[in-house]
Structure formats: C-alpha cells, structure tokens
Amino acid sequence: MIRLIAFLLLCVSTSAKAVDAGSGVEPATYPINFDVPETSPLEFRGGLVVRPPFQGFGGLSGLSLINSRSAVLVSDRGAWVEMDVQIENGRLIGLSNLRMQPILNAEGAPVDEGAQDSEDLTWDPRSGAFWISFEGDHRIWRVPGVGGLPSETIRHPAWETFSSNTGIEALARDDLGRLWAVREASSDYARPFPVFIWDGRGFNEKLLPRLSKHMVTGADFGPDGWLYITERKFSFTSGFEIRLRRLKYGDGKEPIADETLLEMPAASNIDNIESIDVWRENEETLILIASDDNLFLLQRNVFALFAIKD
C-alpha cells in the first residue's frame, strides 16, 4: 500500500519550478553500491546519489558527456543541468560544480508548462549543438549550446497521435549524424518500439524489439557503433526494474544483433534510470547511467558507472 500511495503521488504534477543556479554549487553526494551478476559483461565502477541542493533540482531525463568529464543533462521541468564528473582510475568518485538554468524557447523565455517535458538529449561534437526531445508537445529541438535558443524544430505526423506521456523518450546520434528517436511505449508487449531516424531531410524508420513489459527510457551510440539503451519496468508491488541492452543495425528495419548487458531487479534499489552515455577511455568502454527522481521525495538522483569487461 505504501508503494501504491507513493506511485500515485509521483504521478501528480509537481509545482517545483526550474531555478537559475548558473554560478554553480557543490552538491552533497553519498556512495551507493550495486551487485552485478557474474554472467553480465559489465563491471560496476562506482555509484553516487546526489542530494538536491535547491528546490527544483531533479527529474533528470537525458545525459551527454562533453570530453568525458563535463555532464550536460535535461530535466522533466524544462531545465539544463550541468556538472563535472570526477572519474579516477576508471571509477566514479565525485560530482561537482552543479549548475542549472531554464531551457529557453525561440523568444528567449523559459519553455512553458505545456511544452517543457524535456526527455532526452544528444550532443554533436562537430558543431557543439544539442538536440532535445520533448513529450507533451512532441518535438525535437536543435539548440546551438547550453542556454541557447532553438534554431530548428523537428516533428513527425505520427507523433501527433502519441499520448502526452508516451512520446520520444530516447534520443541518440549515430556516427553519420542521424538522429534516432525512440518512442517510450508500443501498443502491446509483443510489438516493437518504433524508431524514427532523421537524416536532416526526412525520416526513415526502424524497429526496436520489445522483450517484456520494460519500456525504453534512454539511448546513446557507443564508439563501437552499437545502440545502447536503458529500459524500465515499474510494479506497484516491487518498484523499478531496469535493463541495459545494446543493438546493432544493418540496412534492414530489424537489428542484426541484440544483447542484454544487465538486468537489475527492484531489490537492487537502482531507482528510475532514464539516461545513458557511452564512451571509450583508456582502452575500455565506459557506461554512465543516471536516474530520474521525478522531483519526488521518496526517489533519488542516482549516477552509476560501468565498464564492459571485454
């Protein structure tokens, strides 16, 4: 019953607003540990929980790392969040210099209540621009940099039929510069998730197989060319379960390879993972994931680092 009440409260829209903390603060963190099954190809490299340093911090739903040490995120309430990531000897040891500011619309004002559910972002290292996906008013914005005004808006006719909370939840950019936008839900548990691929001129579509009741929450292309995704399942009786997968695509709509890297049950206390970034460093592939606390007191802002064993 406690979990049921908590979930119902979670679903109620919060009144917390995105605040401007552009000067940077040092967030309080504490370590958290996760047991990874020996059968998983992943190795746990450290976890941290960030205590909200001010009202409105949280709801982190997208993550991009700049030069592997500067994290840029977006929140559910239409805000940019930046912080420095401290990794030593391949382990996550700290998060610092946290900054936060509103995402602005084309007129230079903070995005309004009906259009601010920013869900994921991806970064273009060539131009320095970000692409942000939004739910509610389903669209993707191109923004020249953190704090900038949107310079392009992408829409698809099918997105107009999406409900307000089942839109483009995951967004990734491949090595050809194409955007891969993945819908959070599919119409039933046996139906694949639709993937909309924008090449700058128009859309192609692919399919992402659905393995269970898990729903897609985040995506990133790794340096190996695989599409890495996070998935979440919520149960009233147990809580959040997560899965990390990677998929390789060819010319067809279906993936040519699909590998589950990690499954964590609700008992792991992993929370609501919605963000992922994958990169190569010191001859190994690292994966950073982050959770969305929904700006809810009983949830947490979790960051966890993993390495691929092989």
Side-chain angles (χ1 to χ4, degrees), residues 5-302:
I5 294 172
F7 180 74
L8 293 175
L9 288 172
L10 180 153
C11 292
V12 177
S13 176
T14 177
S15 61
K17 302 292 185 181
V19 300
D20 191 337
S23 59
V25 298
E26 297 305 313
T29 63
Y30 62 88
I32 187 170
N33 185 66
F34 298 112
D35 294 324
V36 176
E38 292 185 3
T39 55
S40 171
L42 298 187
E43 177 183 325
F44 177 64
R45 293 289 186 83
L48 294 169
V49 176
V50 182
R51 292 191 174 98
F54 41 73
Q55 184 182 12
F57 174 82
L60 307 178
S61 296
L63 167 66
S64 285
L65 281 181
I66 313 302
N67 300 322
S68 77
R69 289 299 183 272
S70 178
V72 179
L73 307 97
V74 290
S75 83
D76 287 342
R77 297 300 178 262
W80 296 97
V81 179
E82 300 174 87
M83 64 181 73
D84 297 335
V85 180
Q86 298 162 354
I87 298 174
E88 291 186 4
N89 300 318
R91 297 194 62 84
L92 176 64
I93 64 168
L95 299 165
S96 62
N97 192 24
L98 191 153
R99 293 94 70 200
M100 188 169 169
Q101 61 180 297
I103 297 173
L104 304 178
N105 61 24
E107 287 71 43
V111 288
D112 60 54
E113 287 287 334
Q116 68 176 5
D117 192 359
S118 39
E119 286 295 342
D120 205 355
L121 84 164
T122 187
W123 179 60
D124 178 0
R126 295 177 299 184
S127 66
F130 291 91
W131 300 87
I132 307 174
S133 62
F134 292 84
E135 279 188 331
D137 179 9
H138 303 291
R139 69 202 187 282
I140 297 171
W141 273 358
R142 182 187 186 277
V143 183
V146 175
L149 308 186
S151 59
E152 183 179 352
T153 300
I154 300 171
R155 299 182 185 271
H156 189 288
W159 300 354
E160 297 178 7
T161 67
F162 294 170
S163 65
S164 61
N165 197 37
T166 60
I168 301 304
E169 185 81 7
L171 186 65
R173 181 183 174 277
D174 66 19
D175 58 4
L176 297 177
R178 299 176 301 179
L179 296 177
W180 292 54
V182 188
R183 189 183 181 187
E184 178 180 7
S186 60
S187 58
D188 61 63
Y189 300 143
R191 186 180 296 275
F193 299 100
V195 183
F196 303 87
I197 303 175
W198 172 257
D199 64 5
R201 299 177 300 276
F203 284 98
N204 292 308
E205 294 188 25
K206 291 187 183 291
L207 299 174
L208 197 160
R210 186 167 187 172
L211 303 184
S212 63
K213 294 182 180 180
H214 286 70
M215 301 166 72
V216 175
T217 60
D220 188 37
F221 274 96
D224 50 14
W226 288 72
L227 176 65
Y228 289 75
I229 64 167
T230 54
E231 296 179 306
R232 170 197 61 218
K233 181 176 75 172
F234 180 82
S235 167
F236 287 109
T237 56
S238 58
F240 292 102
E241 301 177 33
I242 72 154
R243 179 192 291 132
L244 269 66
R245 293 164 63 191
R246 63 177 178 178
L247 304 99
K248 175 80 74 172
Y249 284 87
D251 295 332
K253 283 193 172 185
E254 299 276 357
I256 58 176
D258 185 348
E259 180 182 1
T260 295
L261 300 175
L262 178 65
E263 289 190 273
M264 300 189 73
S268 67
N269 209 20
I270 186 67
D271 221 292
N272 179 32
I273 298 299
E274 289 204 5
S275 307
I276 182 170
D277 194 277
V278 185
W279 74 101
R280 189 80 176 166
E281 182 174 321
N282 296 329
E283 299 185 351
E284 62 181 358
T285 300
L286 299 178
I287 301 173
L288 182 66
I289 59 175
S291 73
D292 175 0
D293 71 346
N294 290 290
L295 294 163
F296 186 62
L297 182 62
L298 299 183
Q299 290 185 259
R300 299 165 305 163
N301 300 288
V302 176

